[in-house]
Amino acid sequence: MDKNEIRTFIARRAAKELHDGDVVNLGIGLPTEIPNYLPEGVNVILQSENGMIGMGPTPEEGKEDPWFINAGGGHITHVPGASTFDSATSFGIIRGGHVDVSILGAMQVDEEGDLANWMIPGKKTPGMGGAMDLLVGAKRVILTMEHTAKGNPKILKKCTLPLTAKGQVNLIITEMGVMEITPKGIVLTEINPLFTIEDVQAATEATLIISPDLKKME
């Protein structure tokens, strides 16, 4: 799978986790592609921490509106009934527990649900942004990411980079499989048929628990 195929595969699978009426916040990058693959009949309410609720799909090239961008600066559309407001109100929504699902990327995640996704020591960083609030304030946190970085595992026994939040991740979706964070560890619940269980474990530092009901990832 090339980079574009991986992103599409992960986004399509992540879209299946969303339910009609969910209030959802999408991190920058891959998560922003998820609304393009929502199942028919599922309408979610997309919230952006820079001050909008009611985002629509990514606009077609050449039809971007410069007045409408997401928190990462990417162009967005809006649906009927959308609302814009200041950042303070937006974070009141997040911190008040009104976001059902937050979908983010990751540099590292570990078997306790700790997440590192904002900086590498010694390198320049734009800051944590709203990630800390989104992890703690959302009812459910899903990570969408490539399984490894330059061949190195990103799913670890313990994160080594500075944490964004501790113990907040519920689900991990990569091109290799779907994994749930549980009190007993990371459970592999779905696997991409292009890979074997041994392949997935070899690319994962944490020891995976294989679900007895392991399914094919689609």
Side-chain angles (χ1 to χ4, degrees), residues 88-163:
T89 300
S90 190
F91 275 88
I93 292 170
I94 296 166
R95 294 170 182 170
H98 304 293
V99 174
D100 295 301
V101 184
S102 179
I103 305 181
L104 302 168
M107 294 176 182
Q108 295 178 343
V109 58
D110 66 31
E111 56 193 10
E112 295 182 1
D114 299 348
L115 172 65
N117 79 338
W118 74 286
M119 75 168 293
I120 297 174
K123 293 191 176 183
K124 291 183 178 180
T125 173
M128 189 179 289
M132 178 175 64
D133 300 270
L134 287 165
L135 284 161
V136 175
K139 296 171 187 172
R140 190 166 184 240
V141 174
I142 299 172
L143 300 184
T144 54
M145 64 181 202
E146 291 188 40
H147 205 96
T148 60
K150 297 180 180 178
N152 297 312
K154 296 172 65 176
I155 304 172
L156 310 176
K157 292 182 180 295
K158 196 69 178 173
C159 290
T160 59
L161 294 175
L163 295 182

Side-chain angles (χ1 to χ4, degrees), residues 9 21 53 70 115-116 130 138 157 159 165 167 186 192 203-204 206 217:
F9 185 73
I53 193 163
N70 60 28
L115 172 65
K157 292 182 180 295
C159 290
I186 301 177
N192 183 336
T204 309
M217 184 182 179

Side-chain angles (χ1 to χ4, degrees), residues 8-69:
T8 298
F9 185 73
I10 295 172
R12 283 185 185 277
R13 176 58 188 81
K16 296 178 181 180
E17 293 295 318
L18 303 181
H19 303 99
D20 199 45
D22 279 348
V23 176
V24 181
N25 186 287
L26 302 173
I28 61 174
L30 192 159
T32 62
E33 298 183 22
I34 292 169
N36 300 324
Y37 303 104
L38 287 172
E40 187 176 350
V42 173
N43 296 295
V44 301
I45 302 165
L46 298 177
Q47 186 260 358
S48 182
E49 64 262 36
N50 58 323
M52 185 175 187
I53 193 163
M55 291 190 297
T58 304
E60 295 178 26
E61 189 172 350
K63 295 185 177 180
E64 299 90 347
D65 185 334
W67 290 101
F68 290 95
I69 59 172

